[in-house]
Amino acid sequence: MKQQTKISEAVVRRLPLYLQALNELSRGEVQTVSSQALGRKLDLNPAQIRKDLAYFGEFGRKGIGYDVSYLISKIRHILKLDRGINVALVGAGNLGQALCNYNRYSRDNMKIVAVFDDHPDKIGMHINTMRVQPMEELKATVEALQIRIGIITVPAAAAQKVADQLADAGIEGILNFAPAILKVPPSVRVHHADFTTELLSLAYYLEKDADHDDDKVVD
Amino acid sequence: MKQQTKISEAVVRRLPLYLQALNELSRGEVQTVSSQALGRKLDLNPAQIRKDLAYFGEFGRKGIGYDVSYLISKIRHILKLDRGINVALVGAGNLGQALCNYNRYSRDNMKIVAVFDDHPDKIGMHINTMRVQPMEELKATVEALQIRIGIITVPAAAAQKVADQLADAGIEGILNFAPAILKVPPSVRVHHADFTTELLSLAYYLEKDADHDDDKVVD
């Protein structure tokens, strides 16, 4: 029986937050941290944190807490970030360029190593050290660089076609920034980073003008 | 009894997707659409779509479907996008600049109208027609331009301070791009657009190497 099959999505989604908090502590040269201190940092119940981390074995020591470096390496291992994961980005517009420049996740061993676009104006352009490649080169590049994750930053209308191409090239995970629901084969996992939806749905909760008391109540 | 208090978060989050699909149809000069056709476009059950839209009254006609323009205006009204909502962005780095240039949501009446940063190198810089302003000007600008939503694109370590400043300035909604959990007063609603978390947690689901069959099973 594999251990990882028992971990819920909610826990998996909290792990990057733990990693982020621990990286910060590590940069501040903090060596051990209690679940209470982590809880305050992340606004999470310490018992929740202990429970989450217990999924992966016992790392904390009573009265001392967690060893920060050890916990970082353990979470990176669990998230499979200890081996380095190559990422391709499709859509070299403003957002795509920003993500390439941003590349903060690279310190977590995940790195955008190739950029694609199908527009003649974009192809050949340089972003950092990467040359924007035509979509025709996608499959060969994914294979050559062992790229496993694709980021989609094309307009919504083009997103499905790109998802098909990524799936066809053997990509296993997609981070989709387009406000579109993608159909992919079961071998591909899609996460959404659709901030347009997040932004527009925020508006619904505004308007405190009329009924201050209940305008935020939802089912 | 207010009607909106009965709408679940899940429905509210689907409305921008409907809006996006309908905008596309409208640009293609499609005048009516059935719940079946919308369902195929969004990979949603037509019955689900009819149920969602029924929350807001009966807009569809049997055998004809929904009037695209009417439905667009109705959803915009429900999301309170018919009046125009001003947005401030804090953090004029790569990501912040991309979001300002992107501004796709502006066709949905939501627009970034002011940009702030606290770094001397950034202050005074121009992004589109906006001058990057120092944080000291936040409160007065939020008031003058009736800004209601704030976007946070600063590093995680600075996010809480910025959230405090936005709340203090009277902002009602925050879209947070920083991988940090924010504490805000109950009058402020926070949505997360934390793609780093989405990206890093994708990695967990990779690795099909060993056990092809069950490595994606979650609780």
Side-chain angles (χ1 to χ4, degrees):
Chain A
M1 197 163 81
K2 289 177 67 189
Q3 194 186 32
Q4 68 179 78
T5 60
K6 289 180 280 173
I7 302 168
S8 75
E9 284 207 39
V11 176
V12 170
R13 275 161 197 276
R14 282 196 289 271
L15 291 180
L17 293 172
Y18 294 141
L19 191 56
Q20 158 71 28
L22 291 161
N23 279 335
E24 254 175 54
L25 291 169
S26 171
R27 282 194 296 277
E29 312 218 329
V30 176
Q31 271 153 21
T32 56
V33 64
S34 65
S35 54
Q36 283 78 15
L38 258 183
R40 278 192 301 275
K41 218 171 156 55
L42 292 167
D43 198 18
L44 275 172
N45 189 311
Q48 177 72 69
I49 293 175
R50 288 193 298 272
K51 191 171 166 236
D52 284 355
L53 299 178
Y55 272 99
F56 313 109
E58 288 300 326
F59 314 126
R61 277 185 295 162
K62 234 185 165 103
I64 298 175
Y66 296 90
D67 183 289
V68 172
S69 312
Y70 181 71
L71 200 47
I72 288 175
S73 73
K74 197 75 193 176
I75 294 180
R76 283 166 67 120
H77 177 71
I78 293 159
L79 284 175
K80 310 199 181 90
L81 292 169
D82 46 356
R83 268 161 284 177
I85 295 171
N86 284 343
V87 178
L89 182 140
V90 182
N94 276 319
L95 180 64
Q97 290 178 41
L99 293 177
C100 290
N101 288 318
Y102 194 61
N103 242 343
R104 183 172 56 191
Y105 19 81
S106 68
R107 72 160 178 247
D108 291 312
N109 266 343
M110 201 182 264
K111 204 177 168 194
I112 299 172
V113 295
V115 191
F116 299 86
D117 205 298
D118 66 357
H119 198 284
D121 287 356
K122 298 270 167 57
I123 296 164
M125 197 176 86
H126 275 80
I127 304 176
N128 293 335
T129 53
M130 293 178 285
R131 181 182 62 89
V132 178
Q133 297 175 259
M135 287 304 281
E136 291 72 34
E137 295 178 13
L138 179 71
K139 200 164 184 171
T141 307
V142 164
E143 217 162 287
L145 301 181
Q146 295 186 288
I147 293 169
R148 310 185 70 178
I149 289 180
I151 297 180
I152 297 182
T153 49
V154 300
Q160 183 60 54
K161 192 184 166 195
V162 169
D164 294 343
Q165 292 170 305
L166 287 168
D168 183 56
I171 285 287
E172 296 164 59
I174 289 176
L175 182 64
N176 176 32
F177 278 86
I181 293 171
L182 303 176
K183 296 181 196 186
V184 294
S187 60
V188 179
R189 184 175 175 96
V190 178
H191 282 190
H192 291 276
D194 175 11
F195 53 86
T196 305
T197 302
E198 292 297 326
L199 186 61
L200 296 183
S201 62
L202 253 185
Y204 178 79
Y205 298 99
L206 302 183
E207 305 294 312
K208 301 190 294 193
D209 323 28
D211 299 301
H212 240 136
D213 305 324
D214 64 354
D215 65 351
K216 288 185 176 210
V217 180
V218 290
D219 285 341
Chain B
M1 198 164 81
K2 288 178 68 189
Q3 193 185 33
Q4 71 180 73
T5 60
K6 289 180 281 173
I7 302 167
S8 76
E9 284 207 40
V11 176
V12 170
R13 274 160 198 276
R14 280 195 290 272
L15 291 180
L17 293 172
Y18 293 142
L19 190 57
Q20 158 70 28
L22 292 161
N23 279 334
E24 253 176 54
L25 290 169
S26 172
R27 283 194 296 277
E29 312 219 329
V30 175
Q31 271 152 19
T32 56
V33 64
S34 65
S35 54
Q36 284 77 15
L38 258 184
R40 278 193 301 276
K41 218 170 156 57
L42 292 167
D43 199 18
L44 275 172
N45 189 311
Q48 176 73 68
I49 293 175
R50 288 193 298 273
K51 191 173 165 234
D52 284 355
L53 299 178
Y55 272 98
F56 313 110
E58 288 299 327
F59 315 123
R61 277 187 296 163
K62 233 183 164 103
I64 297 176
Y66 296 90
D67 183 290
V68 171
S69 313
Y70 181 71
L71 201 47
I72 287 174
S73 71
K74 197 74 193 177
I75 295 180
R76 284 166 67 120
H77 177 72
I78 294 160
L79 286 175
K80 311 202 182 87
L81 293 168
D82 44 356
R83 270 162 282 177
I85 294 171
N86 285 345
V87 178
L89 182 141
V90 182
N94 276 319
L95 179 63
Q97 290 178 40
L99 293 177
C100 291
N101 288 318
Y102 195 62
N103 241 343
R104 183 173 57 193
Y105 20 80
S106 68
R107 72 161 179 249
D108 290 312
N109 267 344
M110 203 181 264
K111 205 176 167 192
I112 298 172
V113 295
V115 192
F116 298 86
D117 205 295
D118 68 356
H119 198 283
D121 286 357
K122 298 272 167 55
I123 295 165
M125 199 176 86
H126 275 80
I127 304 176
N128 294 335
T129 54
M130 291 177 288
R131 180 182 63 88
V132 178
Q133 299 173 257
M135 288 304 281
E136 290 72 35
E137 295 178 13
L138 179 70
K139 199 164 184 174
T141 306
V142 164
E143 216 163 288
L145 301 181
Q146 297 185 288
I147 294 169
R148 310 186 69 176
I149 289 180
I151 298 179
I152 296 181
T153 50
V154 299
Q160 182 60 56
K161 191 183 167 197
V162 169
D164 293 344
Q165 291 170 306
L166 287 169
D168 181 55
I171 284 289
E172 297 164 60
I174 290 176
L175 182 63
N176 177 32
F177 278 86
I181 293 171
L182 303 177
K183 298 182 195 185
V184 294
S187 60
V188 179
R189 186 177 174 93
V190 178
H191 282 190
H192 290 276
D194 175 12
F195 54 86
T196 306
T197 302
E198 292 298 327
L199 186 60
L200 296 183
S201 62
L202 253 183
Y204 177 80
Y205 297 98
L206 303 182
E207 304 295 310
K208 300 188 297 193
D209 325 26
D211 298 302
H212 239 137
D213 305 324
D214 63 353
D215 64 351
K216 291 186 176 213
V217 180
V218 289
D219 285 343

